[in-house]
Structure formats: C-alpha cells, structure tokens
C-alpha cells in the first residue's frame, strides 16, 4: 500500500482543497498575458543574485526533459533497490500524471508570459518536483509506519520544501508568475493522493484476482 490508511482522509481533504485552488486560479487568470496583483507584489521580492541564480538554474534544469529523466531515473533505481517495483511504478505514475495534468491545464487556461507562445499556468516544473518529493515521502511514511499526524506532516513538509524551492527558481528566473507556481504546487497536491489511491486499488484488484495456491 502506497497510501497509508491513516493518511487517507487527511490527504483526501488536502487534494480536494488543492484542486479547488487550481480551478479558482485558473479561472482568474484564464487568457491573461501579464501578472496579477499578487504576482506584482511578490515578484520584486524574489531576487536572484549571481550565486542564487546559479542555484536557480540547477533547479530549473531538474525540471527540464533531460534533467527530469536523470532525476527520476536515479529515484526509480533507488526505489527498486530499497522497496521494489511497486514503489518505482508509483513514483513514475505520480510524476507522469502531475506533469500531464499541468500540461493539459496550460492549454485550457491559456495564460502566457513573455509572449503568446509561452503558456505559463500552472508551472509544470513545480508540479514535477513537488509530485516527486510527495510520492517519495508517502513511500517512506508507509515503510516507517508513521501515524496520521506524523505522516501527514512529513509528506506535506516534503511537498512544501520541494515546491517552494522550484517555485522560487521559476519566479527568480522569470519563467513563471508566483501564482503559476502556486497552481503547479496545488496540481501535485491534488494528483498524488488520487494516483496513490488508484495504484493501491489496482494492485488490490490484481491480488484478489489471482488464484489461490493449492495446498
């Protein structure tokens, strides 16, 4: 089980609220080509000097096709060694679904930055790294047998740190508005618990359909 039972209700609520935030922000900025009031207030505070800019570029690379493949490949290899194929499949599924949903939403919302060809809402980079950290934290929580409060704090803290780091990089580099980042973060928060539930349900159905071993 990749979604511990003790966390199911709490993360289900988080997923529902996150999906609502994604929808509200998408509706607010649909078809826009500039920053909103919140963006204009936050953007000037997110600076990147020479040294922080290098760090932002590294984080940005991890969300690019080559960087994401390398990162996910390393994580999948670790999952196979430590926890088996089910954990590896879960990580790939969470990342794939989060990025896929974010990509579809970009075309649905149609918000742009730096020109008509650059769709920006929600941030796929932020959704990617948040989903990866969230999925890993769920696996660790299950393996450690953490209770509802401790487990929820661990997975949400992991998602927050990953999302904040990538989100800062995207805003600092001018690739996204702050509200794009919030949308990407919430996309991952909505998608990962749902993906975990589906993986568990599918695995349980497969296990139930296997013939019982003869005595």
């Amino acid at each position: 089980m990749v979604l511990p039972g003790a966390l199911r209700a709490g993360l289900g609520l988080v997923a529902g609220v996150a999906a609502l935030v994604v929808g509200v922000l998408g509706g607010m900025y649909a078809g826009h080509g500039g920053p909103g009031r919140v963006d204009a207030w936050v953007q000037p505070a997110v600076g990147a000097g020479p040294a922080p800019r290098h760090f932002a570029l590294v984080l940005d690379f991890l969300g690019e096709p080559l960087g994401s493949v390398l990162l996910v490949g390393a994580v999948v290899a670790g999952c196979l060694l430590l926890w088996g194929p089910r954990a590896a499949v879960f990580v790939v599924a969470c990342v794939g679904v989060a990025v896929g949903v974010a990509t579809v939403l970009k075309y649905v919302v149609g918000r742009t930055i730096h020109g008509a060809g650059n769709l920006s809402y929600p941030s796929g980079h932020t959704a990617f790294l948040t989903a990866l950290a969230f999925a890993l934290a769920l696996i660790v929580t299950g393996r450690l047998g953490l209770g509802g409060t401790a487990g929820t704090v661990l997975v949400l803290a992991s998602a927050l740190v990953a999302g904040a780091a990538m989100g800062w990089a995207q805003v600092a580099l001018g690739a996204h508005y702050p509200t794009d980042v919030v949308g990407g973060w919430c996309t991952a928060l909505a998608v990962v618990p749902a993906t975990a539930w589906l993986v568990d349900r599918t695995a349980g159905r497969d296990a139930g359909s296997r013939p019982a071993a003869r005595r």
Side-chain angles (χ1 to χ4, degrees), residues 101-140:
V101 170
T103 301
V104 170
L105 286 173
K106 284 179 186 291
Y107 288 95
V108 171
V109 175
R111 188 185 196 189
T112 59
I113 186 170
H114 306 314
N118 300 308
L119 297 172
S120 66
Y121 181 90
S123 167
H125 281 60
T126 306
F128 162 74
L129 197 62
T130 302
L132 182 61
F134 197 167
L136 280 174
L138 271 178
I139 295 170
V140 171

Side-chain angles (χ1 to χ4, degrees), residues 65-178:
L66 177 58
S68 61
V69 168
L70 292 174
L71 180 58
V72 172
V75 171
V76 166
C79 287
L80 290 172
L81 289 172
L82 296 173
W83 303 307
R86 186 171 177 182
V89 170
F90 173 60
V91 168
V92 173
C94 285
V95 170
V97 174
V99 173
V101 170
T103 301
V104 170
L105 286 173
K106 284 179 186 291
Y107 288 95
V108 171
V109 175
R111 188 185 196 189
T112 59
I113 186 170
H114 306 314
N118 300 308
L119 297 172
S120 66
Y121 181 90
S123 167
H125 281 60
T126 306
F128 162 74
L129 197 62
T130 302
L132 182 61
F134 197 167
L136 280 174
L138 271 178
I139 295 170
V140 171
T141 296
R143 297 294 174 172
L144 294 178
L146 298 179
T149 301
T152 301
V153 169
L154 175 61
V155 296
L156 292 183
S158 300
L160 177 60
V161 170
M166 183 61 85
W168 164 81
Q170 296 306 298
V171 175
L173 294 173
H176 283 284
Y177 302 114

Side-chain angles (χ1 to χ4, degrees), residues 12-37:
L13 178 61
V14 168
V17 173
L20 179 62
V21 172
V22 171
V24 169
L25 289 178
M28 289 175 59
Y29 296 108
H32 284 214
R37 290 184 179 180

